[in-house]
Amino acid sequence: MSVGTSVDSETGAGAQNRRDPADEFTRLVEPLRAQLHAHCYRMLGSVHDADDALQDALLRAWRGIGAVKERGSLRAWLYTVATRTCLDLAAARGRRALPMDLGPASERVELAPAPLPEVAWLEPYPEAVCERRETVELAFVAALQHLPGNQRAALLLFDVLGFSAAEIAAMMRTTPTSVNSALARARRLVAERVPAPTQQRTLRDVGDARVRELVTRYATAMERGDTAGLVALLTQDVTWSMPPLPHWYRGKAAIEFAAELPLKRCGSWRHLPATANAQPAVACYLRDSGTGPHRAWSVSVLTLRGDRISAITSFIGEEHFDRLGLPLTQ
């Protein structure tokens, strides 16, 4: 099915006589499910919330399927319902954050930092089937969280999904003038917060072989407790954050000092290469002491600038491993 086609040709009386309506709805929605989930993630910054939003949106869409004939496009109807569902959920649960959103970089190493469970943290996203891979990159999704809901929706629906201002106005029950105004404000803020070029462009320029080498060298340095080897891979202004811990660090010197504790005093580490947010990542496993398996600890998403690492975002918690399809032990 072409997702822009009129629904009349897909859900006419003849088709409904041949198939159960619920099965037919599922068949029509299935080609769009992954892209709808990615849209919900971009809106909400959380895989868990995206799961909830998509499930709720599909239920709402099924209940309101009669409205599709008036709109003429199943794709437009599904994104309308998904966007409105996400706006409702975002209003109820608040925006997702990274440690950088809470305050300046730490000037000293926190030896026993406490997590902040009351903060709704941004979450990493698995390999996505989406319109444009750069739109699930960590910096882009983090920037979206700073936008009011209407601006976030307008930017994604127009710049990512290709709907017109008139179509978006109908979806959001507003005017094309309001949509264009929201778009202009959203683009300004995102441009200030998202570095250029995109990670997709950087990865292409660096090349697959060099990216794999960087990931391998990073994992090797971590397993050996080689802070000098780790620092050699970093840009001068590199940042390192570890949500749900609130503290974060900036610069080679700060990270070299901060890395001493986890690398040399916490136990034995093992690592697996991974992918999250369409970026290279490393799954980190820790064994505190003795023998036995190394257990899931964190997923570190690497942001590159040229052939160096400019940001390390280490998402602590085994729940991220499940969502990224990674084993829980090594």
Side-chain angles (χ1 to χ4, degrees), residues 230-247:
L230 172 64
V231 168
L233 304 175
L234 310 178
T235 62
Q236 288 294 338
D237 60 348
V238 63
T239 61
W240 182 25
S241 62
M242 294 158 282
L245 306 182
H247 303 287

Side-chain angles (χ1 to χ4, degrees), residues 77-93:
W77 169 241
L78 291 173
Y79 276 108
T80 297
V81 178
T83 300
R84 290 178 184 169
T85 302
C86 288
L87 289 172
D88 291 345
L89 195 58
R93 299 186 182 179

Side-chain angles (χ1 to χ4, degrees), residues 143-152 155 185-187 189-190:
L144 291 174
Q145 303 307 301
H146 291 268
L147 297 174
N150 67 318
Q151 294 181 24
R152 197 182 312 175
L155 182 73
R185 292 193 297 270
R187 286 168 174 164
L189 185 142
V190 169

Side-chain angles (χ1 to χ4, degrees), residues 178-208:
S178 296
V179 170
N180 286 325
S181 178
L183 266 173
R185 292 193 297 270
R187 286 168 174 164
R188 282 196 297 269
L189 185 142
V190 169
E192 291 170 0
R193 290 181 171 271
V194 178
T198 68
Q199 282 298 287
Q200 303 314 299
R201 172 66 181 273
T202 297
L203 294 173
R204 288 194 297 269
D205 290 347
V206 173
D208 291 344

Side-chain angles (χ1 to χ4, degrees), residues 256-270:
E256 182 173 17
F257 193 49
E260 286 287 326
L261 177 64
L263 291 192
K264 298 185 177 180
R265 303 184 199 176
C266 285
S268 170
W269 293 93
R270 292 290 181 269

